[in-house]
Structure formats: structure tokens, C-alpha cells
Amino acid sequence: MSDPAVRVDTTSQVPPYEQIRAQLAALIRTGRLAEGERLPTVRQLAADLGLAPGTVARAYRELEATELIRTRRGAGTRVAALPSEPHAHDADQLATLARDFTAAARALGADTEDILTAVRDALDPGPASSSATADSRQRSGWPQDGRGVSTSHRHEEQA
């Protein structure tokens, strides 16, 4: 299995801290980041993503508030046990993410069927095919329990 990835798109309407929070929450809830797995430090993740440490710290605080991660001095930040109650999603946030994805896919030249196929493939629990995107991402991992979180930072060049 490839390393879980965190990406920030600075062209998105979704604030960077929310992109980080949502992606890490999804990785935790789907089991791609397991209970007890160590996350990178705030400073390390901020540096890897090219963001201010306060941005990552806010994402981590929100994840702690939902009890998905826990931070302990000397032990770092680790994935917590999943809460027993089911998680309700935010419909507005989901709609924003869908609009952002659709806009980015259309910018790549994808039509509606291509976009729907990509979403269906992403929802398929089978092995993920990351080879098409692996070369285009900046990747850094943290060696814990044989897995890590990789990062990339996307922005458009100013013309």
C-alpha cells in the first residue's frame, strides 16, 4: 500500500487548514491511518506543505476536538481510537469539496463521464491506483509503523 497523502490546493476556496483536517479525518476514518500511528509534527507538516505552522496547528486542534487524534508531550501526535458513535458529515462542506473537485477535473479536460468514473474508482474499496499521480506529487514520509503521511502542495503559476 502506498503512503497516505495530504495535499493542499491553494487555488481552492476551501481554506488550507480545512483541507488538511478533512483529508486526515478521512484517512483515519477509513483506516489508512491506524490507531496509534504517529503523525508528523506541526512544524514538519507545515514545512512540507509550504504553509504557516499555525495553519497545521489549527487542523490538528480541530482533529483533537473531534477526538480523532491526541497529542502528548514527548509522545507526539498520534491517531486516536475511532469514536464509537457514527460521524455525521457536513453537507455544505461536502458540496464545496465536490465543486472544487469538479472544477479541477474540468480544467484537466475531463467530461462528466470521466469525472463520475474517477469518483466511482475512488469509492471502490479495491487497491488504489496511484501510479498516475505519484510522479506529479511531492512526497515525504515519516517512518512510523512502516507507514507515513506524504504531502504535496499545489498552486497555479501566476502569469
Short mmCIF file of all heavy atoms in Angstrom, two decimals, residues 96-151:
data_model
loop_
_atom_site.label_atom_id
_atom_site.label_comp_id
_atom_site.label_asym_id
_atom_site.label_seq_id
_atom_site.Cartn_x
_atom_site.Cartn_y
_atom_site.Cartn_z
N THR A 96 -18.96 21.78 -1.27
CA THR A 96 -17.81 22.60 -1.64
C THR A 96 -16.68 21.74 -2.19
O THR A 96 -16.07 22.06 -3.21
CB THR A 96 -17.32 23.43 -0.44
OG1 THR A 96 -18.37 24.30 -0.02
CG2 THR A 96 -16.09 24.26 -0.79
N LEU A 97 -16.40 20.63 -1.52
CA LEU A 97 -15.36 19.72 -1.99
C LEU A 97 -15.71 19.15 -3.36
O LEU A 97 -14.84 19.03 -4.23
CB LEU A 97 -15.15 18.59 -0.98
CG LEU A 97 -14.52 18.99 0.35
CD1 LEU A 97 -14.60 17.84 1.34
CD2 LEU A 97 -13.10 19.46 0.16
N ALA A 98 -16.97 18.81 -3.57
CA ALA A 98 -17.40 18.27 -4.86
C ALA A 98 -17.24 19.32 -5.96
O ALA A 98 -16.77 19.01 -7.07
CB ALA A 98 -18.85 17.79 -4.78
N ARG A 99 -17.62 20.57 -5.67
CA ARG A 99 -17.45 21.65 -6.66
C ARG A 99 -15.98 21.86 -6.98
O ARG A 99 -15.61 22.03 -8.15
CB ARG A 99 -18.07 22.95 -6.15
CG ARG A 99 -19.57 23.03 -6.32
CD ARG A 99 -20.10 24.42 -6.05
NE ARG A 99 -19.77 24.92 -4.73
CZ ARG A 99 -20.49 24.68 -3.64
NH1 ARG A 99 -21.59 23.97 -3.71
NH2 ARG A 99 -20.11 25.17 -2.47
N ASP A 100 -15.13 21.86 -5.96
CA ASP A 100 -13.69 22.05 -6.18
C ASP A 100 -13.11 20.93 -7.04
O ASP A 100 -12.34 21.16 -7.97
CB ASP A 100 -12.93 22.13 -4.86
CG ASP A 100 -13.16 23.44 -4.13
OD1 ASP A 100 -13.70 24.38 -4.73
OD2 ASP A 100 -12.80 23.51 -2.94
N PHE A 101 -13.49 19.69 -6.72
CA PHE A 101 -13.00 18.55 -7.49
C PHE A 101 -13.48 18.63 -8.93
O PHE A 101 -12.70 18.43 -9.87
CB PHE A 101 -13.46 17.23 -6.86
CG PHE A 101 -13.20 16.04 -7.74
CD1 PHE A 101 -11.90 15.56 -7.89
CD2 PHE A 101 -14.22 15.43 -8.44
CE1 PHE A 101 -11.64 14.48 -8.73
CE2 PHE A 101 -13.97 14.35 -9.28
CZ PHE A 101 -12.68 13.88 -9.42
N THR A 102 -14.76 18.93 -9.11
CA THR A 102 -15.32 19.01 -10.46
C THR A 102 -14.63 20.10 -11.27
O THR A 102 -14.29 19.88 -12.44
CB THR A 102 -16.84 19.26 -10.39
OG1 THR A 102 -17.43 18.20 -9.63
CG2 THR A 102 -17.46 19.30 -11.76
N ALA A 103 -14.41 21.25 -10.67
CA ALA A 103 -13.74 22.35 -11.37
C ALA A 103 -12.32 21.95 -11.77
O ALA A 103 -11.88 22.22 -12.90
CB ALA A 103 -13.73 23.60 -10.51
N ALA A 104 -11.61 21.30 -10.86
CA ALA A 104 -10.23 20.88 -11.17
C ALA A 104 -10.23 19.82 -12.27
O ALA A 104 -9.38 19.85 -13.17
CB ALA A 104 -9.56 20.34 -9.90
N ALA A 105 -11.18 18.89 -12.22
CA ALA A 105 -11.26 17.84 -13.24
C ALA A 105 -11.59 18.44 -14.61
O ALA A 105 -11.01 18.05 -15.62
CB ALA A 105 -12.30 16.79 -12.84
N ARG A 106 -12.51 19.38 -14.63
CA ARG A 106 -12.85 20.03 -15.90
C ARG A 106 -11.66 20.80 -16.45
O ARG A 106 -11.45 20.83 -17.67
CB ARG A 106 -14.04 20.96 -15.71
CG ARG A 106 -15.31 20.21 -15.38
CD ARG A 106 -16.42 20.54 -16.33
NE ARG A 106 -17.69 19.97 -15.89
CZ ARG A 106 -18.19 18.85 -16.38
NH1 ARG A 106 -17.56 18.18 -17.31
NH2 ARG A 106 -19.35 18.40 -15.95
N ALA A 107 -10.87 21.42 -15.56
CA ALA A 107 -9.68 22.15 -16.00
C ALA A 107 -8.67 21.21 -16.66
O ALA A 107 -7.89 21.62 -17.51
CB ALA A 107 -9.04 22.88 -14.82
N LEU A 108 -8.71 19.93 -16.27
CA LEU A 108 -7.85 18.92 -16.89
C LEU A 108 -8.42 18.40 -18.20
O LEU A 108 -7.79 17.60 -18.88
CB LEU A 108 -7.66 17.74 -15.94
CG LEU A 108 -6.84 18.00 -14.68
CD1 LEU A 108 -6.90 16.78 -13.76
CD2 LEU A 108 -5.40 18.32 -15.04
N GLY A 109 -9.65 18.83 -18.52
CA GLY A 109 -10.28 18.40 -19.77
C GLY A 109 -11.22 17.23 -19.61
O GLY A 109 -11.68 16.65 -20.59
N ALA A 110 -11.52 16.85 -18.37
CA ALA A 110 -12.41 15.70 -18.13
C ALA A 110 -13.86 16.09 -18.39
O ALA A 110 -14.29 17.19 -18.05
CB ALA A 110 -12.25 15.22 -16.69
N ASP A 111 -14.61 15.15 -18.99
CA ASP A 111 -16.04 15.37 -19.17
C ASP A 111 -16.78 14.72 -18.00
O ASP A 111 -16.18 14.13 -17.10
CB ASP A 111 -16.52 14.86 -20.52
CG ASP A 111 -16.37 13.35 -20.69
OD1 ASP A 111 -16.22 12.62 -19.67
OD2 ASP A 111 -16.41 12.89 -21.84
N THR A 112 -18.10 14.85 -18.01
CA THR A 112 -18.91 14.35 -16.90
C THR A 112 -18.67 12.86 -16.64
O THR A 112 -18.52 12.42 -15.50
CB THR A 112 -20.40 14.62 -17.15
OG1 THR A 112 -20.58 16.03 -17.28
CG2 THR A 112 -21.26 14.10 -16.01
N GLU A 113 -18.63 12.07 -17.72
CA GLU A 113 -18.44 10.62 -17.55
C GLU A 113 -17.06 10.31 -16.95
O GLU A 113 -16.93 9.43 -16.09
CB GLU A 113 -18.62 9.89 -18.87
CG GLU A 113 -18.73 8.39 -18.71
CD GLU A 113 -19.84 7.95 -17.74
OE1 GLU A 113 -20.93 8.51 -17.74
OE2 GLU A 113 -19.57 7.00 -16.95
N ASP A 114 -16.01 11.04 -17.38
CA ASP A 114 -14.67 10.86 -16.82
C ASP A 114 -14.67 11.16 -15.32
O ASP A 114 -14.07 10.44 -14.52
CB ASP A 114 -13.65 11.78 -17.50
CG ASP A 114 -13.41 11.43 -18.95
OD1 ASP A 114 -13.57 10.25 -19.33
OD2 ASP A 114 -13.04 12.36 -19.71
N ILE A 115 -15.37 12.23 -14.95
CA ILE A 115 -15.42 12.64 -13.55
C ILE A 115 -16.15 11.58 -12.72
O ILE A 115 -15.69 11.17 -11.65
CB ILE A 115 -16.08 14.03 -13.41
CG1 ILE A 115 -15.19 15.09 -14.05
CG2 ILE A 115 -16.35 14.35 -11.94
CD1 ILE A 115 -15.85 16.44 -14.22
N LEU A 116 -17.30 11.12 -13.22
CA LEU A 116 -18.07 10.10 -12.49
C LEU A 116 -17.28 8.80 -12.37
O LEU A 116 -17.30 8.15 -11.32
CB LEU A 116 -19.41 9.85 -13.17
CG LEU A 116 -20.41 11.00 -13.08
CD1 LEU A 116 -21.63 10.73 -13.96
CD2 LEU A 116 -20.81 11.26 -11.64
N THR A 117 -16.55 8.43 -13.42
CA THR A 117 -15.72 7.22 -13.37
C THR A 117 -14.63 7.36 -12.31
O THR A 117 -14.37 6.44 -11.54
CB THR A 117 -15.10 6.94 -14.75
OG1 THR A 117 -16.16 6.71 -15.68
CG2 THR A 117 -14.18 5.73 -14.71
N ALA A 118 -14.01 8.53 -12.26
CA ALA A 118 -12.96 8.78 -11.27
C ALA A 118 -13.51 8.68 -9.85
O ALA A 118 -12.87 8.10 -8.96
CB ALA A 118 -12.31 10.14 -11.50
N VAL A 119 -14.69 9.23 -9.63
CA VAL A 119 -15.31 9.16 -8.30
C VAL A 119 -15.66 7.72 -7.95
O VAL A 119 -15.38 7.26 -6.85
CB VAL A 119 -16.55 10.08 -8.21
CG1 VAL A 119 -17.33 9.83 -6.92
CG2 VAL A 119 -16.13 11.54 -8.31
N ARG A 120 -16.24 6.99 -8.90
CA ARG A 120 -16.57 5.58 -8.65
C ARG A 120 -15.31 4.78 -8.32
O ARG A 120 -15.31 3.95 -7.42
CB ARG A 120 -17.29 4.97 -9.85
CG ARG A 120 -18.73 5.38 -9.95
CD ARG A 120 -19.43 4.64 -11.10
NE ARG A 120 -20.63 5.35 -11.45
CZ ARG A 120 -20.77 6.13 -12.53
NH1 ARG A 120 -19.79 6.27 -13.38
NH2 ARG A 120 -21.91 6.75 -12.75
N ASP A 121 -14.24 5.03 -9.08
CA ASP A 121 -12.97 4.34 -8.82
C ASP A 121 -12.43 4.68 -7.44
O ASP A 121 -11.90 3.82 -6.74
CB ASP A 121 -11.93 4.68 -9.89
CG ASP A 121 -12.25 4.07 -11.24
OD1 ASP A 121 -13.13 3.19 -11.32
OD2 ASP A 121 -11.60 4.49 -12.23
N ALA A 122 -12.57 5.93 -7.04
CA ALA A 122 -12.09 6.35 -5.72
C ALA A 122 -12.90 5.71 -4.60
O ALA A 122 -12.37 5.42 -3.53
CB ALA A 122 -12.13 7.88 -5.60
N LEU A 123 -14.18 5.48 -4.86
CA LEU A 123 -15.04 4.85 -3.85
C LEU A 123 -14.88 3.35 -3.79
O LEU A 123 -15.24 2.72 -2.80
CB LEU A 123 -16.51 5.18 -4.15
CG LEU A 123 -16.91 6.64 -3.96
CD1 LEU A 123 -18.32 6.87 -4.49
CD2 LEU A 123 -16.82 7.04 -2.50
N ASP A 124 -14.32 2.75 -4.85
CA ASP A 124 -14.13 1.31 -4.91
C ASP A 124 -13.14 0.88 -3.83
O ASP A 124 -12.03 1.40 -3.76
CB ASP A 124 -13.60 0.92 -6.30
CG ASP A 124 -13.42 -0.57 -6.46
OD1 ASP A 124 -13.88 -1.34 -5.58
OD2 ASP A 124 -12.83 -0.97 -7.48
N PRO A 125 -13.49 -0.07 -2.98
CA PRO A 125 -12.59 -0.48 -1.92
C PRO A 125 -11.39 -1.29 -2.39
O PRO A 125 -10.54 -1.63 -1.60
CB PRO A 125 -13.48 -1.32 -1.00
CG PRO A 125 -14.56 -1.84 -1.88
CD PRO A 125 -14.77 -0.78 -2.94
N GLY A 126 -11.31 -1.57 -3.69
CA GLY A 126 -10.18 -2.33 -4.22
C GLY A 126 -8.90 -1.54 -4.10
O GLY A 126 -8.88 -0.39 -3.67
N PRO A 127 -7.77 -2.14 -4.49
CA PRO A 127 -6.47 -1.47 -4.38
C PRO A 127 -6.46 -0.20 -5.21
O PRO A 127 -6.90 -0.18 -6.35
CB PRO A 127 -5.46 -2.49 -4.92
CG PRO A 127 -6.26 -3.57 -5.55
CD PRO A 127 -7.67 -3.47 -5.08
N ALA A 128 -5.97 0.87 -4.60
CA ALA A 128 -5.91 2.17 -5.28
C ALA A 128 -4.78 2.19 -6.29
O ALA A 128 -3.72 1.63 -6.06
CB ALA A 128 -5.72 3.28 -4.25
N SER A 129 -5.03 2.85 -7.38
CA SER A 129 -4.01 3.00 -8.41
C SER A 129 -3.49 4.41 -8.35
O SER A 129 -4.11 5.33 -8.85
CB SER A 129 -4.60 2.73 -9.80
OG SER A 129 -3.65 3.02 -10.78
N SER A 130 -2.36 4.59 -7.69
CA SER A 130 -1.80 5.92 -7.52
C SER A 130 -0.64 6.18 -8.47
O SER A 130 -0.02 7.22 -8.41
CB SER A 130 -1.33 6.12 -6.08
OG SER A 130 -0.32 5.19 -5.78
N SER A 131 -0.37 5.24 -9.38
CA SER A 131 0.79 5.41 -10.24
C SER A 131 0.66 6.61 -11.16
O SER A 131 1.65 7.25 -11.48
CB SER A 131 1.02 4.14 -11.07
OG SER A 131 -0.11 3.88 -11.89
N ALA A 132 -0.56 6.95 -11.56
CA ALA A 132 -0.73 8.08 -12.47
C ALA A 132 -0.43 9.40 -11.79
O ALA A 132 0.03 10.34 -12.42
CB ALA A 132 -2.16 8.11 -12.99
N THR A 133 -0.67 9.48 -10.49
CA THR A 133 -0.44 10.74 -9.80
C THR A 133 0.84 10.75 -8.99
O THR A 133 1.29 11.81 -8.57
CB THR A 133 -1.62 11.06 -8.86
OG1 THR A 133 -1.77 9.98 -7.95
CG2 THR A 133 -2.90 11.29 -9.63
N ALA A 134 1.44 9.61 -8.78
CA ALA A 134 2.61 9.54 -7.91
C ALA A 134 3.77 10.39 -8.43
O ALA A 134 4.47 11.02 -7.65
CB ALA A 134 3.06 8.09 -7.74
N ASP A 135 3.96 10.40 -9.76
CA ASP A 135 5.07 11.17 -10.30
C ASP A 135 4.85 12.65 -10.19
O ASP A 135 5.82 13.42 -10.19
CB ASP A 135 5.29 10.79 -11.77
CG ASP A 135 5.74 9.36 -11.92
OD1 ASP A 135 6.31 8.81 -10.95
OD2 ASP A 135 5.50 8.78 -13.00
N SER A 136 3.61 13.10 -10.11
CA SER A 136 3.34 14.53 -10.11
C SER A 136 3.28 15.11 -8.71
O SER A 136 3.05 16.29 -8.53
CB SER A 136 2.03 14.83 -10.84
OG SER A 136 0.96 14.24 -10.14
N ARG A 137 3.45 14.28 -7.68
CA ARG A 137 3.35 14.76 -6.31
C ARG A 137 4.70 14.84 -5.65
O ARG A 137 5.56 14.00 -5.86
CB ARG A 137 2.49 13.80 -5.48
CG ARG A 137 1.06 13.81 -5.87
CD ARG A 137 0.25 13.07 -4.86
NE ARG A 137 0.63 11.67 -4.81
CZ ARG A 137 -0.23 10.69 -4.69
NH1 ARG A 137 -1.49 10.93 -4.60
NH2 ARG A 137 0.19 9.45 -4.65
N GLN A 138 4.83 15.85 -4.82
CA GLN A 138 6.00 15.93 -3.94
C GLN A 138 5.68 14.99 -2.79
O GLN A 138 4.61 15.07 -2.20
CB GLN A 138 6.16 17.35 -3.43
CG GLN A 138 7.16 17.47 -2.32
CD GLN A 138 7.12 18.83 -1.66
OE1 GLN A 138 6.38 19.71 -2.05
NE2 GLN A 138 7.93 19.00 -0.66
N ARG A 139 6.56 14.06 -2.47
CA ARG A 139 6.26 13.09 -1.44
C ARG A 139 7.32 13.11 -0.34
O ARG A 139 8.49 13.14 -0.62
CB ARG A 139 6.17 11.69 -2.05
CG ARG A 139 5.06 11.60 -3.10
CD ARG A 139 4.95 10.21 -3.63
NE ARG A 139 4.51 9.27 -2.62
CZ ARG A 139 3.25 9.04 -2.31
NH1 ARG A 139 2.30 9.68 -2.90
NH2 ARG A 139 2.94 8.15 -1.41
N SER A 140 6.87 13.10 0.89
CA SER A 140 7.76 12.93 2.03
C SER A 140 7.05 12.03 3.01
O SER A 140 5.87 12.18 3.19
CB SER A 140 8.03 14.23 2.78
OG SER A 140 7.87 15.36 2.04
N GLY A 141 7.74 11.12 3.60
CA GLY A 141 7.10 10.22 4.54
C GLY A 141 7.78 10.29 5.89
O GLY A 141 8.89 10.74 6.03
N TRP A 142 7.07 9.84 6.88
CA TRP A 142 7.61 9.74 8.23
C TRP A 142 7.58 8.28 8.59
O TRP A 142 6.53 7.65 8.52
CB TRP A 142 6.77 10.56 9.20
CG TRP A 142 6.88 12.00 8.90
CD1 TRP A 142 7.81 12.85 9.37
CD2 TRP A 142 6.06 12.76 8.01
NE1 TRP A 142 7.61 14.09 8.84
CE2 TRP A 142 6.56 14.07 8.01
CE3 TRP A 142 4.97 12.47 7.22
CZ2 TRP A 142 5.99 15.08 7.26
CZ3 TRP A 142 4.41 13.48 6.47
CH2 TRP A 142 4.93 14.75 6.50
N PRO A 143 8.72 7.71 8.99
CA PRO A 143 8.77 6.27 9.23
C PRO A 143 8.20 5.90 10.59
O PRO A 143 8.88 5.97 11.59
CB PRO A 143 10.27 5.96 9.16
CG PRO A 143 10.93 7.24 9.56
CD PRO A 143 10.02 8.35 9.11
N GLN A 144 6.94 5.53 10.61
CA GLN A 144 6.36 5.01 11.83
C GLN A 144 5.49 3.82 11.47
O GLN A 144 4.68 3.91 10.59
CB GLN A 144 5.56 6.06 12.61
CG GLN A 144 4.34 6.62 11.93
CD GLN A 144 4.65 7.71 10.94
OE1 GLN A 144 5.77 8.18 10.87
NE2 GLN A 144 3.68 8.08 10.16
N ASP A 145 5.72 2.73 12.13
CA ASP A 145 4.95 1.51 11.90
C ASP A 145 4.92 1.13 10.43
O ASP A 145 3.94 0.60 9.94
CB ASP A 145 3.52 1.67 12.41
CG ASP A 145 3.49 2.02 13.89
OD1 ASP A 145 4.39 1.59 14.62
OD2 ASP A 145 2.57 2.72 14.29
N GLY A 146 5.99 1.45 9.69
CA GLY A 146 6.07 1.06 8.30
C GLY A 146 5.24 1.90 7.35
O GLY A 146 5.17 1.64 6.18
N ARG A 147 4.55 2.93 7.86
CA ARG A 147 3.73 3.78 7.01
C ARG A 147 4.05 5.23 7.33
O ARG A 147 4.74 5.54 8.26
CB ARG A 147 2.24 3.56 7.27
CG ARG A 147 1.77 2.21 6.84
CD ARG A 147 0.29 2.23 6.69
NE ARG A 147 -0.33 1.59 7.84
CZ ARG A 147 -1.62 1.58 8.05
NH1 ARG A 147 -2.42 2.18 7.25
NH2 ARG A 147 -2.11 0.97 9.09
N GLY A 148 3.50 6.12 6.55
CA GLY A 148 3.70 7.53 6.81
C GLY A 148 2.67 8.35 6.09
O GLY A 148 1.83 7.83 5.38
N VAL A 149 2.72 9.63 6.30
CA VAL A 149 1.84 10.56 5.62
C VAL A 149 2.70 11.31 4.64
O VAL A 149 3.74 11.84 5.01
CB VAL A 149 1.21 11.56 6.62
CG1 VAL A 149 0.37 12.59 5.88
CG2 VAL A 149 0.37 10.83 7.64
N SER A 150 2.31 11.34 3.39
CA SER A 150 3.07 12.11 2.42
C SER A 150 2.29 13.37 2.09
O SER A 150 1.10 13.45 2.31
CB SER A 150 3.37 11.29 1.17
OG SER A 150 2.17 10.93 0.53
N THR A 151 3.00 14.35 1.58
CA THR A 151 2.39 15.64 1.38
C THR A 151 2.67 16.18 0.00
O THR A 151 3.67 15.84 -0.62
CB THR A 151 2.94 16.64 2.40
OG1 THR A 151 4.34 16.74 2.22
CG2 THR A 151 2.60 16.24 3.81
#
